[in-house]
Amino acid sequence: MKRIILLALLTTGFVMSTQAQDKEKKKTLIELPQWVKDIKISGYGMLQYQGMDKDGGKENSFNLRLARISLDGKISDFAWKVQMQINGNTSTLGSSPRLVDLWAEWQKYDFFRVKAGQFKRSFSFENPMHPVKQGFMSYSQNISKLVGFSDRTGEQASNGRDIGVQIQGDFLKNSQGRNLLHYQIGVFNGEGINKKDQDNRKDIIGGIWFMPIKGMRIGAFGWTGSRVINYTIDGASISRSVPKNRYALSAEYVTDQDWTFRTEYIHSQGYGSNLSAGDKADGYYALCIAPIIKKKLHIKARYDIYRDRKEWGSSKTFYEIGADYLFTKNLQLNIEYARVNDRTLDKHNYNLVDVELDFMF
């Protein structure tokens, strides 16, 4: 009997000791603030094969197009994002890796939001689109040459981004509660990513679009600024700040049935890194993406032309057809064929094939 009583006392003491220890542990735990819990990590990679039979420039190669990883979250009424990019087959760290996004945006009101940091320029519909989801093997030529990817001004490759401050918002709700108008305007350095202003003259970029029916946008954009260029005259090196003025006209319609139609015209005035190219350029594209199996298999076509001197003798045109297949929402295969007409070459026409495997997490 004594043994039983002793065992019961020992068991009770052990249980009470364990409970006390559990309470002590709970006291020492640190409760993480909500903004830390809300942090999300995401990213994607793009693997590429490309071949072309251009006269004097035949290529046939696999390529690690790019990889990105980002953190984003919210602190009270502020959203924020940090994103890094790494490119494959790069020879200098000036090209890769690099910081592409670092911004915060006050989002308390839909009709008035304030964004500051490094982010996409507020110019064109296609520029801010996700590289995997924009639909084709690359952004259209006018976006690449006139928004800051491989810009004709000679600025460093900046993925359409710059450093500055922007206000934007949506307003004028209809009876269904859907906003009909969007506006955005920003002030930027005009130098691209990770660089201070070189001439103390800021770029002002803005746009407005109307959304008359669900899925449709009709917009116009303007851009005025400057760019420092370096050139040589009679053996003397000269630096000069030249104007940079651009506008874009854009339209897009994305249906509930998974169809996409998009077209944009961009005009540029202002000398680039090559003075002999003149001070005017323009580009235009029109595309259609059609579902064979909704959200799974698409066929697509794009007409894409860019004129570096706004003359037909400087034009480069892509006639593209292709298809994409989504194994899952995070894994996609893209195949494209393009007939290219480049009037700056002795032999204008050549063929290009592009295959990409893109994944997201």
Side-chain angles (χ1 to χ4, degrees):
M1 183 67 180
K2 291 180 179 179
R3 292 180 179 178
I4 295 174
I5 294 173
L6 180 60
L7 181 62
L9 290 172
L10 290 173
T11 302
T12 303
F14 176 75
V15 171
M16 293 178 65
S17 175
T18 302
Q19 290 176 341
Q21 290 176 7
D22 288 343
K23 289 180 180 179
E24 190 65 27
K25 287 180 180 178
K26 289 179 180 179
K27 289 180 182 179
T28 59
L29 288 176
I30 299 174
E31 182 68 22
L32 293 175
Q34 188 60 44
W35 72 268
V36 175
K37 295 179 181 179
D38 289 340
I39 294 176
K40 298 177 182 177
I41 183 170
S42 61
Y44 59 93
M46 306 180 77
L47 311 176
Q48 182 183 52
Y49 166 82
Q50 192 171 92
M52 67 179 74
D53 62 358
K54 181 166 61 174
D55 187 56
K58 292 183 178 180
E59 294 181 9
N60 179 348
S61 180
F62 293 103
N63 179 39
L64 305 178
R65 182 176 164 188
L66 64 83
R68 284 183 181 168
I69 186 167
S70 65
L71 296 174
D72 63 85
K74 291 201 73 172
I75 304 175
S76 185
D77 294 324
F78 288 85
W80 60 270
K81 183 173 184 175
V82 181
Q83 183 168 223
M84 295 291 296
Q85 176 172 313
I86 302 171
N87 290 82
N89 301 338
T90 183
S91 59
T92 67
L93 291 179
S95 300
S96 177
R98 60 184 179 272
L99 179 71
V100 290
D101 282 297
L102 178 60
W103 56 261
E105 184 176 47
W106 183 59
Q107 298 181 336
K108 186 172 183 178
Y109 303 107
D110 287 342
F111 62 87
F112 184 79
R113 302 191 295 274
V114 183
K115 192 174 189 177
Q118 181 165 284
F119 50 90
K120 285 283 191 176
R121 287 164 165 150
S122 49
F123 193 78
S124 83
F125 284 162
E126 188 167 284
N127 180 40
M129 291 182 178
H130 194 291
V132 175
K133 298 178 180 179
Q134 62 87 19
F136 287 80
M137 61 182 172
S138 64
Y139 291 89
S140 58
Q141 293 181 92
N142 58 359
I143 300 299
S144 295
K145 294 296 185 181
L146 302 177
V147 187
F149 287 76
S150 55
D151 204 282
R152 79 185 298 268
T153 61
E155 75 172 39
Q156 65 178 348
S158 298
N159 303 98
R161 291 168 166 83
D162 207 340
I163 305 173
V165 179
Q166 173 181 283
I167 60 172
Q168 63 178 333
D170 300 281
F171 63 100
L172 196 63
K173 292 183 183 294
N174 64 9
S175 58
Q176 289 78 42
R178 183 176 59 80
N179 287 304
L180 299 178
L181 284 175
H182 173 89
Y183 73 93
Q184 53 192 44
I185 185 167
V187 180
F188 300 89
N189 280 343
E191 303 294 338
I193 60 174
N194 307 322
K195 289 192 70 174
K196 292 183 177 180
D197 200 337
Q198 301 298 300
D199 62 359
N200 297 318
R201 299 168 62 187
K202 299 296 181 284
D203 285 13
I204 300 174
I205 306 174
I208 187 168
W209 59 78
F210 177 51
M211 299 167 280
I213 62 176
K214 184 179 178 181
M216 178 179 285
R217 298 187 291 171
I218 302 171
F221 300 83
W223 179 345
T224 183
S226 62
R227 167 74 178 160
V228 174
I229 62 172
N230 302 302
Y231 56 95
T232 301
I233 295 181
D234 297 329
S237 297
I238 299 174
S239 294
R240 175 183 168 193
S241 181
V242 297
K244 177 172 53 180
N245 299 301
R246 295 172 177 175
Y247 69 84
L249 302 174
S250 310
E252 180 185 58
Y253 184 42
V254 180
T255 75
D256 291 335
Q257 299 303 312
D258 205 22
W259 287 77
T260 297
F261 304 91
R262 187 167 67 251
T263 182
E264 297 191 271
Y265 172 77
I266 300 178
H267 181 275
S268 175
Q269 181 273 321
Y271 285 98
S273 56
N274 181 6
L275 291 178
S276 64
D279 73 336
K280 290 184 174 62
D282 68 352
Y284 169 80
Y285 75 86
L287 64 83
C288 174
I289 304 173
I292 302 301
I293 303 174
K294 187 177 179 180
K295 305 296 183 183
K296 195 73 174 177
L297 174 64
H298 304 86
I299 57 173
K300 51 197 174 184
R302 179 171 68 175
Y303 171 77
D304 178 10
I305 182 170
Y306 171 70
R307 301 189 301 173
D308 197 51
R309 297 192 302 274
K310 203 183 175 182
E311 298 172 355
W312 288 109
S314 68
S315 69
K316 186 175 183 180
T317 307
F318 285 74
Y319 304 89
E320 300 170 62
I321 57 172
D324 61 60
Y325 181 78
L326 284 74
F327 298 97
T328 71
K329 66 178 182 178
N330 293 325
L331 182 63
Q332 179 175 316
L333 177 67
N334 307 276
I335 301 174
E336 284 187 53
Y337 164 78
R339 180 67 169 174
V340 185
N341 178 270
D342 187 344
R343 297 195 181 185
T344 66
L345 302 177
D346 292 333
K347 293 187 177 180
H348 299 338
N349 300 312
Y350 62 92
N351 303 293
L352 184 151
V353 175
D354 185 275
V355 180
E356 293 189 20
L357 182 65
D358 305 325
F359 61 88
M360 299 178 285
F361 61 88

